Amino acid sequence: MVSRVIPVDAFDLVIFGGTGDLAKRKILPGLYRRFQAGQMTENSRIIGAARADLNEDSFRALVAEAIEEFVPKDRQDSKIVAQFLEKIGYVSIDATGEGGWGKLKDLMRDGVVRAFYFSVAPSLFGDIAERLHLHEIADAQSRIVVEKPFGRDLASAKALNAVLAAHFTEAQIYRIDHYLGKETVQNLMAVRFANILFEPLWKAEYVDHVQITVAETVGVDGRGAYYDKSGAMRDMVQNHMMQLLCLIAMEPPYHFDPDAVRDEKLKVIRALDPVKPEHIVRGQYLAGGGEGSYVEHSEDPSSKTESYIALKVNVSNWRWQGTPFYLRTGKRLRARASEIAITFKQPPHSIFDDAKGWLENVLVIRLQPNEGMNLMVMIKEPGPGGMRLMQVPLDMAFADALGVDAEDVPDAYERLIMDVIRGNQTLFMRGDEVEAAWAWTDPLIEGWEARGDKPQGYDAGSSGPEDALMLMHRDGRRWREIKG
Ligand code: NAP
């Protein structure tokens, strides 16, 4: 089965920071892929904006290079690339100055969706929002897209919300969390709410625990100075992992509608208990495999920033009381792998002698690599050996199930940008959600800072610090193996 591509309305998309890393790696190649798929129509245009003194031709050359570098070779079609480049324009603008805005205004067309992607440092969000308004470039139907990080604590997130709210309504603001754009993450909602099979079991009575893992093999490398002000908690947990947790833990929304979904996610965040210090493990990677240690990259030999964190989190509500959610994320780990694993409880009684303590169903939702789902079920081992049990996966790799090449499953950015044009905010974070997530995060960070806690060293290429293993072992559980 080939998935249907429904073209979106014609648009003018302005990318502030159009020459930056994110635009080159994700946004522009993603738009090319949507154009190639027929979803971005002929009548749509993309306008890069940055301080660099480029003209249309030199910006188009930059876009062509980005496509060449970041789109798989077998998906590059020179004829389609040439057609795509015709849709590209450029304006040299300093977000903090007044030059260039008049030209941008002249380029914008009436009768098409106007969207503005703020792919720049958050410190520029206010300047851009204000000038779009001042120069009457944005109208009441325009949309703005903002990137992470959305604040580094509650106070800064509130300040960012306020500068955006000064010129745009909440319905116009699209806060990107690219994890929400992954096929599997959306499928999580389909699996939960379009099947009767799982939902009756989706509660503390039947779920032993949930594990959410986001493991990376890369270190902080050139981004040491930036990362040192952030750390794994701010960089991964407060946003991406929190969103995943919400999608698993939330109640069914009354309708698949942006605010109905986001209302339910918000309730989950508000139901999170503060995390006890003994349920937090922070780690920092050591040198290994020819790479320096975290502190060597951070430029601060006494840095206490965590490159790894594991947490045991309780969702304090009727559905989840007693089912812990274990979260872990880190850099320089054994493999690049992100997954959610929902481990169901054992049957109340085993009738099979040789299987005591092992009758376990696990629903594994893989975000990367190979997006898909796996349901581990117990079956009889084939053959004449008697009633021996084994665990096997009922595997659903999306690419296989849909009969498409994995390369053709749209990337999260592709999907999210199309949602912006469609005006669908379901997969974007609402301002109050972001603030609630920071309100939960802040005291944890303040707690370890006040205690002067130091992260535990862990070997590069390992599964993380010893204490993280103990966090599980103490509860008679274990982490799933990190496998790429
Ligand atoms: P980057 O490579 O440093 O690019 C920044 C862009 O902003 C450049 O195009 C730069 O062009 C432009 N810019 C800087 N100052 C400007 C000004 N005063 N007026 C107009 N344009 C200005 O950064 P990036 O990695 O693309 O990241 C962009 C945003 O996305 C950041 O908020 C980042 O945190 C976020 N983000 C990035 C990634 C990623 O993978 N890169 C992932 C998630 C989130 P000029 O210097 O020519 O003006």
Side-chain angles (χ1 to χ4, degrees):
M1 193 183 78
V2 178
S3 61
R4 276 178 306 151
V5 171
I6 301 170
V8 292
D9 290 342
F11 60 83
D12 279 351
L13 171 66
V14 180
I15 308 172
F16 290 99
T19 58
D21 176 66
L22 182 67
K24 287 193 279 198
R25 278 193 312 113
K26 291 288 180 187
I27 306 172
L28 293 162
L31 285 160
Y32 163 76
R33 296 295 301 265
R34 292 297 89 213
F35 180 74
Q36 186 175 37
Q39 196 163 21
M40 171 181 159
T41 54
E42 281 288 328
N43 193 25
S44 294
R45 280 215 314 245
I46 299 156
I47 301 159
R51 289 169 305 180
D53 186 19
L54 304 180
N55 58 28
E56 201 166 76
D57 287 340
S58 45
F59 184 62
R60 285 179 179 178
L62 177 147
V63 177
E65 270 170 40
I67 293 171
E68 199 175 329
E69 190 172 355
F70 296 110
V71 172
K73 287 277 174 282
D74 59 350
R75 297 297 186 275
Q76 297 181 21
D77 178 326
S78 56
K79 218 170 105 198
I80 296 173
V81 172
Q83 288 165 1
F84 177 71
L85 293 179
E86 283 171 23
K87 315 284 164 223
I88 307 272
Y90 182 79
V91 192
S92 173
I93 284 188
D94 182 342
T96 60
E98 300 312 323
W101 296 94
K103 184 175 171 202
L104 180 60
K105 184 177 161 73
D106 292 343
L107 281 177
M108 305 301 290
R109 299 167 302 162
D110 289 330
V112 299
V113 174
R114 290 184 184 191
F116 303 92
Y117 200 128
F118 294 12
S119 182
V120 292
S123 56
L124 296 175
F125 289 179
D127 289 309
I128 298 176
E130 193 182 330
R131 284 169 175 79
L132 285 175
H133 179 77
L134 208 73
H135 295 273
E136 295 176 344
I137 299 170
D139 56 27
Q141 278 71 50
S142 300
R143 289 132 212 195
I144 60 169
V145 185
V146 294
E147 265 299 336
K148 82 168 212 184
F150 202 86
R152 68 180 311 276
D153 53 21
L154 179 58
S156 53
K158 277 187 167 170
L160 278 180
N161 275 334
V163 295
L164 297 180
H167 303 291
F168 294 92
T169 63
E170 184 60 35
Q172 295 179 284
I173 304 170
Y174 290 72
R175 294 175 194 77
I176 285 230
D177 185 319
H178 69 272
Y179 271 61
L180 291 180
K182 287 181 183 286
E183 185 76 25
T184 331
V185 172
Q186 291 167 74
N187 239 312
L188 183 55
M189 283 190 276
V191 164
R192 277 195 65 191
F193 303 131
N195 295 286
I196 191 69
L197 205 58
F198 295 109
E199 197 51 26
L201 304 179
W202 210 263
K203 51 178 141 176
E205 205 180 337
Y206 297 109
V207 177
D208 179 72
H209 72 281
V210 176
Q211 295 186 21
I212 307 179
T213 300
V214 177
E216 297 178 285
T217 49
V218 293
V220 293
D221 305 326
R223 295 168 64 232
Y226 158 81
Y227 191 88
D228 214 42
K229 295 191 192 71
S230 163
M233 185 72 179
R234 288 188 170 99
D235 193 44
M236 295 300 293
V237 178
Q238 183 274 342
N239 39 47
H240 308 313
M241 298 182 86
M242 174 75 81
Q243 289 295 322
L244 299 180
L245 185 155
C246 283
L247 293 177
I248 299 164
M250 74 184 197
E251 295 298 317
Y254 75 91
H255 189 244
F256 191 61
D257 151 286
D259 276 325
V261 170
R262 297 185 300 175
D263 286 345
E264 295 307 335
K265 288 197 292 165
L266 180 62
K267 287 183 205 163
V268 173
I269 303 174
R270 291 192 173 145
L272 297 179
D273 281 344
V275 183
K276 296 179 183 149
E278 62 269 30
H279 292 161
I280 305 175
V281 177
R282 295 164 63 241
Q284 224 179 43
Y285 62 81
L286 304 169
E291 293 272 342
S293 67
Y294 176 81
V295 284
E296 285 168 58
H297 286 287
S298 82
E299 298 165 3
D300 172 7
S302 61
S303 170
K304 289 186 193 152
T305 302
E306 74 284 356
S307 61
Y308 175 101
I309 189 162
L311 300 159
K312 178 181 174 184
V313 178
N314 280 326
V315 183
S316 222
N317 63 16
W318 195 300
R319 185 186 283 260
W320 292 115
Q321 196 55 256
T323 295
F325 285 66
Y326 297 93
L327 276 46
R328 67 177 161 166
T329 180
K331 296 194 176 292
R332 299 281 284 140
L333 294 177
R334 167 171 299 165
R336 177 169 180 261
S338 301
E339 65 166 41
I340 301 166
I342 292 142
T343 302
F344 292 91
K345 289 190 173 163
Q346 312 239 336
H349 164 73
S350 171
I351 63 168
F352 304 107
D353 285 342
D354 76 334
K356 286 204 178 76
W358 195 58
L359 297 172
E360 196 175 74
N361 295 127
V362 187
L363 177 65
V364 182
I365 298 141
R366 281 194 314 270
L367 307 181
Q368 65 192 19
N370 312 323
E371 284 195 61
M373 291 197 194
N374 241 326
L375 178 64
M376 307 304 292
V377 292
M378 305 303 301
I379 61 161
K380 178 191 166 295
E381 204 176 277
M387 183 51 97
R388 287 208 300 260
L389 300 180
M390 63 186 288
Q391 198 183 43
V392 293
L394 286 178
D395 193 346
M396 192 175 91
F398 289 136
D400 297 349
L402 298 173
V404 294
D405 192 323
E407 294 284 6
D408 288 326
V409 176
D411 168 80
Y413 276 90
E414 295 176 42
R415 182 188 319 277
L416 292 172
I417 297 170
M418 292 300 105
D419 276 356
V420 173
I421 307 302
R422 279 190 283 250
N424 187 340
Q425 289 186 304
T426 311
L427 301 174
F428 296 83
M429 295 179 295
R430 209 168 53 190
D432 53 0
E433 251 184 282
V434 178
E435 289 185 14
W438 280 120
W440 175 78
T441 308
D442 277 2
L444 308 191
I445 297 176
E446 285 158 13
W448 71 61
E449 283 178 354
R451 292 189 299 274
D453 291 352
K454 287 199 185 91
Q456 189 180 38
Y458 62 93
D459 289 333
S462 71
S463 305
E466 275 298 306
D467 285 356
L469 302 182
M470 291 311 298
L471 179 73
M472 278 285 204
H473 286 179
R474 278 203 304 268
D475 293 346
R477 301 182 174 109
R478 60 191 157 81
W479 292 107
R480 287 169 51 80
E481 195 186 333
I482 298 177
K483 274 196 291 205

